[in-house]
Amino acid sequence: MSSALSILTRCSVLSTIVPLLTYLARLRKLNKLLKILLAYLFVSLLTDLFCYYGAFKSLNHYVINAFTYFEFVCFSLILTMRNDSLKHKSFIPICIAFTLGFLLSFIYSGKPGQINNFVNCFEAMILIILSIINLFELSNDLSTPNLFQYPFFWLLASTLLYFSVVLFVFIFSGYILDPAASKPVKYLWIIHNSAHILFNLLIAVSIILWKKIKV
């Protein structure tokens, strides 16, 4: 079982390469949303490679915490800039609220070198809400007859799925990541890795289907 977990972890780390490769098929100019998504995927891959294969394991949690903030900024921008009712005016207050929660949480805990479950759960809840708002708006848009052929739907589906799983995992991460936890409990991290692989595959589908859309 441990070897299977190790293989799945490697697959999770390297799965980000799949949507990055789909960008090779888009040689024409990318719109703003796709540029943000490309930047996110690139930084995500570098972060995973650093934390999994890097020689400075003591810095892993600092890198992950910094990436969590970057991830939130990217996805909150993507999910607000494509929504008629949210637009850019909602991005700033959402980002300010998350930034305050991010900073206050680490100040309160006094442990910037550890994974902060509150921050991860706070990020996941906000992005889940934004994804649901976008999905409702998309489903009510009469100009989108087939959601499964609309690339933004797959991006929303990947975001909602992944961050819903992340929320569940991080709520119980204190037990899952506890060194004294039993093996069956530790193996629950497989849920996260599996969701991360599916997340990247759905993003790849979104990029493949993407047409030139004004953003």
Side-chain angles (χ1 to χ4, degrees):
M1 186 68 175
S2 58
S3 61
L5 178 59
S6 179
I7 292 172
L8 187 62
T9 301
R10 291 193 188 97
C11 291
S12 174
V13 169
L14 298 176
S15 65
T16 310
I17 295 175
V18 177
L20 283 172
L21 288 176
T22 60
Y23 274 92
L24 295 178
R26 293 188 52 85
L27 299 178
R28 64 178 182 271
K29 186 177 179 181
L30 302 175
N31 60 31
K32 293 178 182 178
L33 191 150
L34 286 173
K35 287 179 180 178
I36 296 171
L37 187 58
L38 176 61
Y40 164 78
L41 291 170
F42 185 71
V43 174
S44 175
L45 179 61
L46 290 180
T47 300
D48 286 342
L49 290 175
F50 177 87
C51 293
Y52 189 76
Y53 296 105
F56 304 98
K57 299 295 184 181
S58 60
L59 297 178
N60 279 8
H61 288 173
Y62 290 99
V63 173
I64 292 172
N65 289 333
F67 173 73
T68 297
Y69 186 82
F70 174 78
E71 178 179 64
F72 177 82
V73 171
C74 287
F75 274 95
S76 60
L77 184 55
I78 288 171
L79 295 174
T80 55
M81 71 190 298
R82 283 290 301 151
N83 188 288
D84 291 336
S85 60
L86 295 176
K87 293 295 186 183
H88 295 286
K89 63 182 180 181
S90 297
F91 169 73
I92 294 178
I94 289 172
C95 238
I96 290 175
F98 182 77
T99 301
L100 289 175
F102 185 89
L103 294 175
L104 290 175
S105 180
F106 282 108
I107 292 173
Y108 177 77
S109 68
K111 298 176 180 178
Q114 293 186 6
I115 297 297
N116 192 309
N117 293 340
F118 170 80
V119 168
N120 287 282
C121 291
F122 189 33
E123 175 201 22
M125 286 189 290
I126 294 176
L127 296 182
I128 287 170
I129 292 171
L130 290 177
S131 297
I132 292 173
I133 291 174
N134 275 276
L135 280 171
F136 270 115
E137 183 178 273
L138 195 61
S139 64
N140 292 327
D141 186 357
L142 297 179
S143 64
T144 311
N146 190 342
L147 287 177
F148 297 108
Q149 293 181 356
Y150 192 63
F152 193 56
F153 166 79
W154 292 101
L155 182 57
L156 290 174
S158 66
T159 305
L160 182 58
L161 170 70
Y162 177 67
F163 286 102
S164 296
V165 173
V166 166
L167 178 60
F168 169 80
V169 170
F170 277 101
I171 286 175
F172 298 101
S173 63
Y175 301 99
I176 298 172
L177 300 178
D178 186 349
S182 63
K183 284 187 177 181
V185 172
K186 290 181 179 180
Y187 288 149
L188 289 175
W189 197 256
I190 289 175
I191 299 172
H192 172 273
N193 291 341
S194 300
H196 188 243
I197 293 171
L198 185 56
F199 169 69
N200 283 313
L201 293 178
L202 291 178
I203 288 179
V205 172
S206 177
I207 297 170
I208 291 171
L209 292 175
W210 211 280
K211 296 178 181 179
K212 192 174 182 180
I213 299 174
K214 289 185 178 181
V215 178

